[in-house]
Amino acid sequence: MRFTTTLSAVISVGMICLLSVAPAAQAAMARRVPSGGMAHGAHTARSRTACGATASDAGRAAACATAATISAARRDMLGLINGERSMAGAPPLHLDATLDAIAQARSQDMIDRDYFSHQIPGAGTVFDILSRDHVPYTSAGENIAMNSYITVYSLAQTMQETNADFMHSPEHRENILRPRYADLGLGIAFQRATGKLILTEVFTQP
């Protein structure tokens, strides 16, 4: 199976990437694109998150993202994705515990090892992980996003902004709206010192 990657300019506010694979070893695509404009940079240092941290205290903002709030954020993102799919006439996706674990491990690994890529250092791609974990699928895709919105937004609003970034990119939008996908995994991890978020979406068609 061969993967091809194309890159475009990125901005410091955030970036997003996608990877997808279809039956019969269809060539996958990956693209990094600007994350939705410069307006986010206009917020002042006193903008507050839901748990009271300020943009000048990014570590505290990220620290507010407990396991419970991340679980709620995962549900929020699922609702946003299925809302987009409903408007497009696509069936809803269902969270899958195995895919959640894979997506969460992907996000945390990128935070821990300080990289942002579909290529996992020393481990291939998410498709290699799916195969290793014996996850059956006929097609699959991965969207990843990196931003620091949590320093100026609540966690719920951070999910909305991140989803908007995906939906403004035709390739990421295609992954989200692809009718044949049925199952979804969501991974959300923060770098507590900076408030950097990495979100991973893993889609599969059984």
Side-chain angles (χ1 to χ4, degrees):
M1 187 175 296
R2 183 177 63 202
F3 301 99
T4 60
T5 303
T6 59
L7 299 177
S8 62
V10 299
I11 59 175
S12 60
V13 173
M15 52 184 127
I16 54 180
C17 256
L18 91 102
L19 183 64
S20 61
V21 64
Q26 175 182 333
M29 296 183 302
R31 188 183 183 201
R32 189 175 298 171
V33 299
S35 65
M38 298 300 295
H40 307 301
H43 293 276
T44 68
R46 299 303 299 173
S47 297
R48 300 183 68 82
T49 67
C51 49
T54 66
S56 60
D57 188 2
R60 183 180 170 196
C64 291
T66 63
T69 58
I70 287 176
S71 180
R74 186 179 281 114
R75 291 193 299 271
D76 288 344
M77 182 59 83
L78 176 65
L80 291 167
I81 290 171
N82 281 337
E84 303 285 3
R85 289 175 66 87
S86 177
M87 288 188 289
L93 296 174
H94 304 282
L95 282 180
D96 177 89
T98 299
L99 295 182
D100 270 351
I102 289 171
Q104 187 62 39
R106 285 280 292 123
S107 289
Q108 193 61 54
D109 185 56
M110 284 186 275
I111 290 289
D112 291 345
R113 295 202 282 167
D114 193 27
Y115 73 97
F116 180 70
S117 175
H118 294 294
Q119 298 295 322
I120 305 166
T125 69
V126 70
F127 308 122
D128 297 297
I129 295 175
L130 292 172
S131 297
R132 182 200 68 196
D133 290 352
H134 306 291
V135 177
Y137 69 94
T138 55
S139 65
E142 178 184 71
N143 287 347
I144 58 176
M146 179 170 67
N147 60 60
S148 56
Y149 296 154
I150 192 65
T151 63
V152 291
Y153 291 133
S154 70
L155 189 53
Q157 185 66 23
T158 293
M159 294 300 101
Q160 293 177 30
E161 295 295 323
T162 304
N163 184 67
D165 289 345
F166 282 141
M167 293 302 293
H168 285 131
S169 164
E171 294 88 353
H172 298 86
R173 178 186 178 94
E174 182 181 358
N175 255 357
I176 289 171
L177 300 183
R178 190 163 292 168
R180 66 174 176 258
Y181 286 152
D183 297 317
L184 173 68
L186 294 170
I188 301 166
F190 290 92
Q191 186 178 67
R192 299 197 181 277
T194 65
K196 179 175 73 176
L197 159 76
I198 293 183
L199 183 144
T200 302
E201 299 175 343
V202 178
F203 308 85
T204 63
Q205 174 190 2

